[in-house]
Coordinates of all heavy atoms in Angstrom, one line a residue:
A224 N 74.6 -49.1 25.2 CA 74.0 -47.8 24.9 C 74.1 -46.9 26.2 O 74.2 -47.4 27.3 CB 72.5 -47.9 24.5
P225 N 74.2 -45.6 26.0 CA 74.2 -44.7 27.2 C 73.1 -45.0 28.2 O 72.0 -45.4 27.8 CB 74.1 -43.3 26.6 CG 74.6 -43.5 25.2 CD 74.2 -44.8 24.8
R226 N 73.3 -44.8 29.5 CA 72.3 -45.1 30.5 C 71.1 -44.3 30.3 O 69.9 -44.7 30.5 CB 72.9 -44.8 31.9 CG 72.0 -45.1 33.0 CD 71.7 -46.5 33.3 NE 70.9 -46.8 34.4 CZ 71.4 -47.0 35.7 NH1 72.7 -47.0 35.8 NH2 70.6 -47.2 36.7
Y227 N 71.3 -43.0 29.9 CA 70.2 -42.1 29.6 C 70.0 -41.9 28.1 O 70.9 -41.9 27.4 CB 70.5 -40.7 30.2 CG 70.5 -40.7 31.7 CD1 71.5 -40.1 32.4 CD2 69.4 -41.2 32.5 CE1 71.6 -40.1 33.8 CE2 69.4 -41.1 33.9 CZ 70.5 -40.6 34.5 OH 70.5 -40.5 35.9
G228 N 68.7 -41.7 27.7 CA 68.4 -41.3 26.4 C 68.8 -39.9 26.1 O 69.2 -39.2 27.0
E229 N 68.8 -39.5 24.8 CA 69.3 -38.1 24.5 C 68.5 -37.0 25.2 O 69.2 -36.1 25.8 CB 69.1 -37.9 23.0 CG 69.7 -36.6 22.5 CD 69.6 -36.4 21.0 OE1 69.2 -37.4 20.3 OE2 69.8 -35.3 20.5
K230 N 67.2 -37.1 25.3 CA 66.4 -36.0 25.9 C 66.7 -36.0 27.4 O 66.9 -35.0 28.0 CB 64.9 -36.2 25.7 CG 64.6 -35.9 24.2 CD 63.1 -36.0 24.0 CE 62.7 -35.7 22.6 NZ 61.2 -35.7 22.4
T231 N 66.7 -37.2 28.0 CA 67.0 -37.3 29.5 C 68.3 -36.8 29.8 O 68.6 -36.1 30.8 CB 66.7 -38.7 30.0 OG1 65.4 -39.2 29.7 CG2 67.0 -38.8 31.5
A232 N 69.3 -37.2 29.0 CA 70.7 -36.8 29.2 C 70.8 -35.3 29.1 O 71.5 -34.6 29.9 CB 71.6 -37.4 28.2
A233 N 70.0 -34.7 28.2 CA 70.1 -33.2 28.1 C 69.5 -32.6 29.3 O 70.0 -31.6 29.8 CB 69.2 -32.8 26.8
R234 N 68.5 -33.1 29.9 CA 67.9 -32.6 31.1 C 68.8 -32.8 32.3 O 69.0 -31.8 33.1 CB 66.6 -33.3 31.4 CG 65.4 -33.0 30.5 CD 64.2 -33.9 30.7 NE 63.7 -33.8 32.1 CZ 62.9 -34.7 32.6 NH1 62.4 -35.7 31.9 NH2 62.5 -34.5 33.8
V235 N 69.5 -33.9 32.3 CA 70.5 -34.1 33.4 C 71.6 -33.1 33.3 O 72.1 -32.5 34.3 CB 71.0 -35.6 33.4 CG1 72.2 -35.7 34.4 CG2 69.9 -36.5 33.7
V236 N 72.1 -32.9 32.1 CA 73.2 -31.9 31.9 C 72.8 -30.5 32.3 O 73.5 -29.8 33.0 CB 73.7 -31.9 30.4 CG1 74.6 -30.7 30.2 CG2 74.4 -33.2 30.1

Side-chain angles (χ1 to χ4, degrees):
R226 180 72 175 268
Y227 291 129
E229 182 178 350
K230 291 185 178 180
T231 302
R234 290 171 59 191
V235 171
V236 169

